[in-house]
């Protein structure tokens, strides 16, 4: 007697939206609190938020030079590390909300952005809403993604990962396919721009991907000139939109010999000896669903199952994705590349291989999502059970990763001071040859033989009066970058020097007077800001015109 066929529910966009909203609540539930879930970079990002908030209070925008509660001397973190999305919690903090709530709100927002942008991205890649939905669940609930939120507090990479599936899907449509819609073009520009404004290293990986994609297009000789022209136009728009970050970054990266954090040579979620157990807890969804994909793929190849439509994707491509994803995953912790000393320094710049876990996560999510869809199409298991299992994955992964976060419930004090022992990472983006211990001893105090009166230092703005019986100087606790200007009581510019630690030194002429010092930025910075502003206005007007035109066509 034949068993009755299992009924399969049909999900609409509304159903997928509700399910993604529920999953977002599950994954971000721990952040619905007035306490922080501290991670490795928590102090760094909290300090950035406070710095932006205090600078905005003083009317400084955009904020490029940070003088926060840990760094007294100012450093160009806003130039080397994108800060666009940090303006959201900074504005909330400026309105009076506690820093803990502001930070947690940003994490919750990022998780929901990741779910909905990834769903559209995976759906565009796979050409299937069902497979795209399950790929999204596997991706956002993965150990690597959640570790960035709970364990590492790596806001930059967390944001970049959230937009990566959408960016890659749109880039493939734009640079490798003849037909593309205005919607995909606009979303591609927004997604790539979001990654640029989130994390420089992820941007490097993304542009390497675009380069490889164009290289394959050139090798296949398929409308090479057409794709090059369209890609060049696409990249130009992105450059102009993000000129306010890209131009200052490139100028400082080339001109200023700053210290950047030493790249890790390996990656581990914690120092626990049971790394295998941790991998099982956090990555078991990948092993389950990639195995499922392999099993279904084998059945289709062996038995030539024809009742499953395979027009949306190629098994040859998917098997390559699976192999590459597993390669990056298996070799991310072990580091055999140290046998190549001449090449290792280049790999370290992009923090290879552990940073490729992000790519591994994306590739295995695609294979897992397609594996689930194939299982559903074979009617081996109802879709409702797969959805229930997916929700279980989100719950177990959130619990597992949350318990690996150190010292849960840590509360940030209103002012973060040097009462703790400074870490080397606190001195990122300062000059490489700086004697950090001398800076710590100086803290936020000036040095001068003159009589200094009414000394006021607010962020990068310094004002004081002085009296001296001879020509002398004053050392101000601000690192000298080529963007400061000092003015005397007559409105004349005063020459700025620096000591061996690159602190600002201002000559004081015999007698009395007053000095005003502040950071203005290079003239080209203002040009870059203006270029971005004009580009954003033109881009918005273009999107509005296209939307109105399409709406008029529908009405007609």
């Amino acid at each position: 007697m034949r068993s009755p066929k299992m009924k399969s529910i049909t999900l609409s966009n509304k159903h997928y939206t509700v399910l993604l909203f529920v999953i977002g609540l599950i994954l971000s539930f721990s952040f619905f609190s007035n306490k922080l879930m501290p991670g490795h970079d928590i102090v760094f990002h909290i300090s950035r938020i406070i710095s932006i908030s205090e600078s905005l209070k003083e009317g400084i925008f955009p904020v490029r030079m940070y003088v926060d509660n840990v760094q007294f001397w100012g450093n160009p973190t806003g130039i080397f590390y994108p800060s666009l999305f940090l303006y959201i919690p900074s504005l909330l903090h400026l309105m009076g909300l506690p820093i803990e709530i502001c930070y947690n709100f940003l994490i919750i927002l990022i998780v929901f952005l990741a779910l909905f942008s990834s769903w559209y991205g995976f759906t565009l890649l796979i050409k299937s809403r069902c497979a795209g939905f399950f790929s999204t669940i596997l991706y956002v609930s993965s150990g690597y993604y959640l570790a960035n939120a709970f364990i590492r507090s790596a806001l930059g990479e967390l944001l970049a990962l959230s937009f990566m599936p959408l960016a890659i899907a749109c880039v493939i449509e734009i640079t490798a396919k003849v037909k593309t819609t205005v919607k995909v073009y606009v979303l591609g520009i927004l997604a790539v721009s979001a990654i640029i404004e989130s994390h420089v290293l992820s941007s490097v990986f993304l542009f390497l991907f675009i380069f490889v994609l164009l290289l394959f297009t050139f090798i296949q000789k398929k409308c090479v000139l057409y794709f090059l022209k369209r890609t060049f136009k696409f990249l130009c728009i992105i450059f102009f939109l993000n000129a306010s970050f890209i131009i200052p970054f490139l100028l400082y990266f080339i001109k200023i010999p700053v210290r950047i954090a030493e790249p890790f040579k390996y990656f581990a979620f914690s120092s626990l000896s049971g790394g295998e157990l941790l991998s099982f807890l956090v990555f078991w969804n990948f092993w389950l669903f990639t195995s499922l994909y392999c099993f279904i793929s084998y059945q289709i190849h062996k038995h030539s199952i024809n009742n499953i439509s395979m027009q949306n994707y190629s098994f040859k491509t998917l098997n390559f994705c699976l192999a590459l994803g597993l390669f990056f995953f298996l070799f991310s912790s072990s580091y055999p590349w140290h046998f190549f000393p001449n090449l290792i320094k280049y790999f370290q710049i992009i923090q290879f291989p552990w940073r490729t876990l992000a790519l591994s996560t994306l590739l295995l999510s695609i294979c897992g999502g397609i594996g689930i869809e194939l299982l559903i199409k074979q009617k081996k298991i109802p879709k409702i059970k797969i959805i229930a299992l997916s929700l279980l994955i989100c719950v177990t992964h959130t619990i597992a990763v949350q318990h690996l976060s150190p010292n849960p419930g840590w509360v940030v004090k209103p002012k973060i001071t040097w009462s703790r022992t400074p870490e080397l990472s606190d001195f990122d983006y300062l000059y490489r040859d700086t004697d950090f211990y001398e800076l710590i001893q100086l803290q936020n105090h000036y040095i001068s033989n003159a009589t200094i009166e009414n000394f006021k230092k607010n962020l990068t703005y310094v004002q004081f009066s002085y009296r001296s019986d001879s020509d002398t100087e004053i050392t101000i606790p601000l690192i000298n970058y080529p963007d400061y200007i000092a003015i005397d009581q007559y409105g004349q510019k005063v020459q700025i020097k620096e000591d061996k630690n690159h602190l600002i030194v201002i000559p004081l002429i015999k007698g009395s007077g007053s000095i005003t010092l502040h950071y203005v930025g290079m003239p080209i910075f203002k040009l870059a800001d203006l270029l971005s502003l004009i580009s954003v206005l033109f881009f918005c007007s273009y999107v509005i015109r296209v939307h109105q035109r399409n709406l008029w066509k529908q009405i007609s």
Side-chain angles (χ1 to χ4, degrees), residues 351-396:
Q351 298 182 11
F352 184 86
W354 73 269
R355 286 285 187 181
T356 55
L357 273 175
L359 182 59
S360 172
T361 301
L362 192 146
L363 293 171
L364 294 180
S365 296
I366 292 174
C367 296
I370 292 175
I372 298 172
E373 185 185 41
L374 293 176
L375 186 67
I376 292 171
K377 283 185 175 181
Q378 280 194 299
K379 299 181 180 180
K380 296 288 186 182
I381 187 171
K383 190 180 293 185
I384 188 66
K385 290 185 178 181
I386 296 291
I387 293 173
L389 180 59
S390 301
L391 294 174
L392 177 63
I393 286 175
C394 294
V395 173
T396 55

Coordinates of all heavy atoms in Angstrom, one line a residue, residues 351-396:
Q351 N 45.3 39.2 6.4 CA 45.0 38.3 7.5 C 44.5 37.0 7.0 O 43.4 36.5 7.5 CB 44.0 39.0 8.4 CG 44.5 40.3 9.0 CD 43.6 41.0 10.0 OE1 42.6 40.4 10.4 NE2 43.9 42.2 10.4
F352 N 45.2 36.4 6.1 CA 44.9 35.1 5.5 C 45.6 34.1 6.4 O 46.7 34.3 6.9 CB 45.5 35.1 4.1 CG 45.2 33.8 3.4 CD1 44.0 33.7 2.7 CD2 46.1 32.8 3.4 CE1 43.7 32.5 2.0 CE2 45.8 31.6 2.7 CZ 44.6 31.5 2.0
P353 N 45.0 32.9 6.7 CA 43.7 32.4 6.1 C 42.5 32.6 6.9 O 41.4 32.4 6.4 CB 44.0 31.0 5.9 CG 44.8 30.6 7.1 CD 45.7 31.8 7.4
W354 N 42.6 33.0 8.2 CA 41.4 33.0 9.0 C 40.3 33.9 8.6 O 39.1 33.6 8.8 CB 41.7 33.2 10.5 CG 42.1 34.5 10.9 CD1 43.3 35.1 10.9 CD2 41.2 35.5 11.4 NE1 43.3 36.4 11.4 CE2 42.0 36.7 11.7 CE3 39.8 35.6 11.6 CZ2 41.4 37.9 12.2 CZ3 39.3 36.8 12.1 CH2 40.1 37.9 12.4
R355 N 40.6 35.0 7.9 CA 39.6 35.9 7.4 C 38.7 35.3 6.3 O 37.6 35.7 6.1 CB 40.2 37.2 6.9 CG 40.7 38.1 8.0 CD 39.6 38.9 8.7 NE 40.1 39.9 9.6 CZ 39.4 40.7 10.4 NH1 38.1 40.5 10.3 NH2 40.0 41.6 11.1
T356 N 39.3 34.3 5.7 CA 38.5 33.6 4.6 C 37.4 32.7 5.2 O 36.6 32.2 4.4 CB 39.5 32.7 3.7 OG1 40.2 31.8 4.6 CG2 40.5 33.6 3.0
L357 N 37.3 32.6 6.5 CA 36.2 31.9 7.1 C 34.9 32.6 6.7 O 33.8 32.0 6.6 CB 36.3 31.9 8.6 CG 37.1 30.8 9.2 CD1 37.2 31.0 10.7 CD2 36.4 29.5 8.9
A358 N 34.9 33.9 6.4 CA 33.7 34.6 6.0 C 33.3 34.1 4.6 O 32.1 33.8 4.4 CB 34.0 36.1 5.9
L359 N 34.2 33.9 3.7 CA 33.9 33.4 2.4 C 33.4 31.9 2.5 O 32.5 31.5 1.8 CB 35.1 33.4 1.5 CG 34.9 33.0 0.0 CD1 33.8 33.7 -0.7 CD2 36.2 33.1 -0.7
S360 N 34.1 31.1 3.4 CA 33.7 29.8 3.6 C 32.2 29.7 4.1 O 31.4 28.9 3.7 CB 34.6 29.1 4.6 OG 34.1 27.8 5.0
T361 N 31.9 30.6 5.0 CA 30.5 30.6 5.6 C 29.5 30.9 4.5 O 28.5 30.3 4.4 CB 30.4 31.8 6.6 OG1 31.4 31.5 7.7 CG2 29.0 31.8 7.2
L362 N 29.8 31.8 3.6 CA 28.9 32.2 2.5 C 28.7 31.0 1.5 O 27.6 30.7 1.1 CB 29.4 33.4 1.8 CG 28.5 34.1 0.8 CD1 28.7 35.6 0.8 CD2 28.6 33.6 -0.6
L363 N 29.8 30.4 1.1 CA 29.8 29.3 0.2 C 29.0 28.1 0.7 O 28.2 27.5 0.0 CB 31.2 28.9 -0.3 CG 32.0 29.9 -1.1 CD1 33.4 29.5 -1.2 CD2 31.4 30.1 -2.4
L364 N 29.3 27.7 1.9 CA 28.6 26.6 2.5 C 27.1 26.9 2.8 O 26.3 26.0 2.7 CB 29.3 26.2 3.8 CG 30.7 25.6 3.7 CD1 31.3 25.3 5.0 CD2 30.8 24.5 2.7
S365 N 26.8 28.1 3.0 CA 25.4 28.5 3.2 C 24.6 28.3 1.9 O 23.5 27.8 2.0 CB 25.3 30.0 3.7 OG 25.9 30.2 4.9
I366 N 25.2 28.6 0.8 CA 24.6 28.4 -0.5 C 24.3 27.0 -0.7 O 23.2 26.6 -1.1 CB 25.5 29.0 -1.6 CG1 25.5 30.5 -1.5 CG2 24.9 28.6 -3.0 CD1 26.5 31.2 -2.5
C367 N 25.3 26.1 -0.5 CA 25.2 24.7 -0.7 C 24.2 24.1 0.3 O 23.3 23.2 -0.1 CB 26.5 24.0 -0.5 SG 27.8 24.4 -1.7
G368 N 24.2 24.5 1.5 CA 23.2 24.0 2.5 C 21.8 24.4 2.1 O 20.9 23.6 2.2
G369 N 21.6 25.7 1.7 CA 20.3 26.1 1.3 C 19.7 25.4 0.1 O 18.5 25.0 0.1
I370 N 20.6 25.1 -0.8 CA 20.1 24.3 -2.0 C 19.9 22.9 -1.6 O 18.9 22.2 -2.1 CB 21.2 24.4 -3.1 CG1 21.2 25.8 -3.7 CG2 20.9 23.4 -4.3 CD1 22.3 26.1 -4.7
G371 N 20.7 22.3 -0.7 CA 20.5 21.0 -0.3 C 19.1 20.8 0.4 O 18.4 19.8 0.2
I372 N 18.7 21.8 1.2 CA 17.4 21.8 1.8 C 16.3 21.8 0.8 O 15.3 21.1 0.9 CB 17.2 22.9 2.8 CG1 18.3 22.8 3.9 CG2 15.9 23.0 3.4 CD1 18.4 24.0 4.8
E373 N 16.4 22.7 -0.2 CA 15.4 22.8 -1.2 C 15.3 21.5 -2.0 O 14.1 21.1 -2.3 CB 15.7 24.0 -2.2 CG 14.6 24.2 -3.2 CD 15.0 25.3 -4.2 OE1 16.1 25.3 -4.7 OE2 14.1 26.1 -4.5
L374 N 16.4 20.9 -2.3 CA 16.3 19.6 -3.0 C 15.6 18.5 -2.2 O 14.8 17.7 -2.7 CB 17.7 19.1 -3.4 CG 18.5 20.0 -4.4 CD1 19.9 19.5 -4.6 CD2 17.8 20.0 -5.7
L375 N 15.9 18.5 -0.9 CA 15.2 17.6 0.0 C 13.7 17.8 0.0 O 12.9 16.9 0.0 CB 15.8 17.7 1.4 CG 15.3 16.7 2.4 CD1 15.8 15.3 2.1 CD2 15.7 17.1 3.8
I376 N 13.3 19.1 0.0 CA 11.9 19.4 0.0 C 11.2 19.0 -1.3 O 10.1 18.5 -1.3 CB 11.7 21.0 0.3 CG1 12.1 21.3 1.7 CG2 10.2 21.4 0.1 CD1 12.2 22.8 2.0
K377 N 11.9 19.3 -2.4 CA 11.4 18.9 -3.7 C 11.2 17.4 -3.9 O 10.3 17.0 -4.6 CB 12.3 19.5 -4.8 CG 12.2 21.0 -5.1 CD 13.0 21.4 -6.2 CE 12.7 22.9 -6.5 NZ 13.5 23.4 -7.7
Q378 N 12.1 16.6 -3.2 CA 11.9 15.2 -3.3 C 10.8 14.7 -2.4 O 10.5 13.5 -2.4 CB 13.2 14.5 -2.9 CG 14.3 14.5 -4.0 CD 15.4 13.5 -3.7 OE1 16.1 13.7 -2.7 NE2 15.5 12.5 -4.5
K379 N 10.2 15.7 -1.6 CA 9.1 15.3 -0.7 C 9.5 14.3 0.3 O 8.7 13.4 0.7 CB 7.9 14.9 -1.5 CG 7.4 16.0 -2.4 CD 6.2 15.6 -3.2 CE 5.7 16.8 -4.1 NZ 4.5 16.4 -4.9
K380 N 10.8 14.3 0.8 CA 11.2 13.4 1.8 C 10.8 13.9 3.2 O 10.7 13.1 4.1 CB 12.8 13.3 1.8 CG 13.3 12.7 0.5 CD 13.0 11.2 0.4 CE 13.7 10.6 -0.8 NZ 13.4 9.1 -0.9
I381 N 10.7 15.2 3.3 CA 10.3 15.8 4.6 C 9.5 17.1 4.4 O 9.8 17.8 3.5 CB 11.6 16.0 5.4 CG1 11.3 16.5 6.9 CG2 12.5 17.1 4.7 CD1 12.5 16.5 7.7
P382 N 8.5 17.3 5.2 CA 7.7 18.5 5.0 C 8.5 19.8 5.3 O 9.4 19.8 6.1 CB 6.6 18.4 6.0 CG 6.6 17.0 6.4 CD 7.9 16.5 6.2
K383 N 8.2 20.9 4.6 CA 8.9 22.1 4.8 C 8.8 22.7 6.2 O 9.7 23.3 6.7 CB 8.3 23.2 3.8 CG 9.2 24.4 3.7 CD 8.5 25.4 2.7 CE 8.6 24.9 1.3 NZ 8.1 25.9 0.3
I384 N 7.6 22.4 6.9 CA 7.4 22.9 8.2 C 8.4 22.3 9.2 O 8.8 23.0 10.1 CB 5.9 22.6 8.7 CG1 5.6 23.3 10.0 CG2 5.7 21.1 8.8 CD1 5.6 24.8 9.9
K385 N 8.8 21.1 9.0 CA 9.8 20.5 9.8 C 11.2 21.1 9.6 O 12.0 21.3 10.6 CB 9.9 18.9 9.6 CG 8.6 18.2 10.1 CD 8.8 16.7 10.0 CE 7.6 16.0 10.5 NZ 7.7 14.5 10.4
I386 N 11.5 21.4 8.4 CA 12.8 22.1 8.1 C 12.8 23.4 8.7 O 13.8 23.9 9.3 CB 13.0 22.2 6.6 CG1 13.1 20.8 5.9 CG2 14.2 23.0 6.3 CD1 14.3 20.1 6.2
I387 N 11.7 24.1 8.7 CA 11.6 25.5 9.3 C 11.8 25.3 10.8 O 12.5 26.1 11.4 CB 10.3 26.1 9.0 CG1 10.2 26.5 7.5 CG2 10.1 27.4 9.8 CD1 8.9 27.0 7.0
A388 N 11.2 24.3 11.4 CA 11.3 24.1 12.9 C 12.8 23.8 13.2 O 13.3 24.3 14.2 CB 10.4 23.0 13.3
L389 N 13.4 23.0 12.4 CA 14.8 22.7 12.6 C 15.7 23.9 12.5 O 16.7 24.1 13.3 CB 15.3 21.6 11.6 CG 16.8 21.2 11.8 CD1 17.0 20.6 13.2 CD2 17.1 20.1 10.7
S390 N 15.4 24.8 11.6 CA 16.1 26.0 11.4 C 16.0 26.9 12.6 O 17.0 27.6 13.0 CB 15.6 26.8 10.1 OG 15.8 25.9 9.0
L391 N 14.8 27.0 13.1 CA 14.6 27.8 14.3 C 15.4 27.3 15.5 O 16.0 28.0 16.3 CB 13.1 27.9 14.7 CG 12.2 28.7 13.7 CD1 10.7 28.5 14.1 CD2 12.6 30.1 13.6
L392 N 15.4 25.9 15.6 CA 16.2 25.3 16.6 C 17.7 25.6 16.5 O 18.4 25.8 17.5 CB 16.0 23.7 16.6 CG 16.8 22.9 17.6 CD1 16.4 23.3 19.0 CD2 16.6 21.4 17.3
I393 N 18.2 25.6 15.2 CA 19.6 26.0 15.0 C 19.9 27.4 15.5 O 20.9 27.6 16.2 CB 19.9 25.9 13.5 CG1 20.0 24.4 13.0 CG2 21.2 26.6 13.2 CD1 20.2 24.3 11.6
C394 N 19.0 28.3 15.2 CA 19.2 29.7 15.7 C 19.3 29.8 17.2 O 20.1 30.5 17.7 CB 18.1 30.6 15.1 SG 18.1 30.8 13.3
V395 N 18.4 29.1 17.8 CA 18.3 29.1 19.3 C 19.6 28.5 19.9 O 20.3 29.1 20.8 CB 17.1 28.3 19.8 CG1 17.1 28.2 21.4 CG2 15.8 29.1 19.4
T396 N 20.0 27.3 19.4 CA 21.2 26.6 20.0 C 22.4 27.4 19.7 O 23.3 27.5 20.6 CB 21.3 25.2 19.4 OG1 21.3 25.2 18.0 CG2 20.1 24.3 19.9

